[in-house]
Amino acid sequence: MTGTKMFNVVLIEPEIPPNTGNVGRLCLATKSTLHLVKPFGFSLDDRELKRAGLDYWEDVDLRTWDSLDDLRRANPSARYFFLTTKTERAYYDVQFEPGDFLVFGRETKGLPESLLNENIDNCLTIPMHGTRSLNLATAVAIVLFEAVRQQR
């Protein structure tokens, strides 16, 4: 990987501090930026968040946003991909580019239907059998590391 930032991971209204801490570590390990969209289900000073991020949390390139619209207005020319179980297009069927935004929803509800409908051509899924969904940090790892792998 080069010295520049690779990808952008967006968590919409994250609810579980250890998931967000683990995603922060994934972002640090891949030179990616973590974007958190409010409201959060915890404080950024949460002990469990920092415990999951270990002593790396302070090194994570973290940005917080009041809304997804604010984030998109600040990054208007970027490509956004929305991860959901409600589509057939697999994440590995996309050619990711550095700077892409990988958008993940709340642990309990995923992304809003209206957002998915507005961005139907950019919805991606992780094909799976025998379960409705994966842990958020696991899902981020799968997609983020595929995006990084493609940059070899």
Side-chain angles (χ1 to χ4, degrees):
M1 288 186 297
T2 66
T4 60
K5 290 293 176 189
M6 291 294 284
F7 294 97
N8 295 279
V9 174
V10 181
L11 302 184
I12 307 286
E13 300 179 8
E15 300 168 308
I16 302 173
N19 283 337
T20 301
N22 283 317
V23 171
R25 289 174 67 185
L26 290 167
C27 288
L28 183 62
T30 58
K31 296 184 179 179
S32 297
T33 300
L34 175 58
H35 300 265
L36 302 180
V37 177
K38 297 176 184 176
F40 312 141
F42 51 85
S43 161
L44 290 181
D45 294 326
D46 190 287
R47 185 174 56 86
E48 290 182 47
L49 172 74
K50 292 185 175 177
R51 185 170 147 203
L54 296 176
D55 53 354
Y56 307 113
W57 187 249
E58 63 190 35
D59 297 322
V60 173
D61 183 2
L62 175 66
R63 316 273 167 88
T64 60
W65 302 91
D66 289 330
S67 70
L68 181 60
D69 287 341
D70 287 350
L71 182 153
R72 292 178 89 175
R73 274 193 292 275
N75 301 278
S77 60
R79 294 193 322 162
Y80 293 82
F81 294 98
F82 301 85
L83 280 295
T84 177
T85 59
K86 299 175 176 86
T87 190
E88 297 297 316
R89 185 178 182 200
Y91 71 96
Y92 46 72
D93 289 334
V94 169
Q95 182 60 49
F96 293 105
E97 300 172 6
D100 285 348
F101 284 74
L102 310 174
V103 183
F104 296 82
R106 290 166 48 187
E107 288 93 339
T108 58
K109 295 187 179 176
L111 293 169
E113 290 285 335
S114 59
L115 182 64
L116 297 176
N117 291 335
E118 292 165 12
N119 297 281
I120 196 77
D121 292 338
N122 289 326
C123 288
L124 304 175
T125 195
I126 300 169
M128 62 188 94
H129 304 281
T131 184
R132 183 176 31 106
S133 63
L134 297 173
N135 171 275
L136 177 62
T138 300
V140 171
I142 290 168
V143 178
L144 180 58
F145 274 90
E146 170 59 15
V148 169
R149 183 199 66 78
Q150 291 181 8
Q151 306 313 306
R152 296 182 289 165

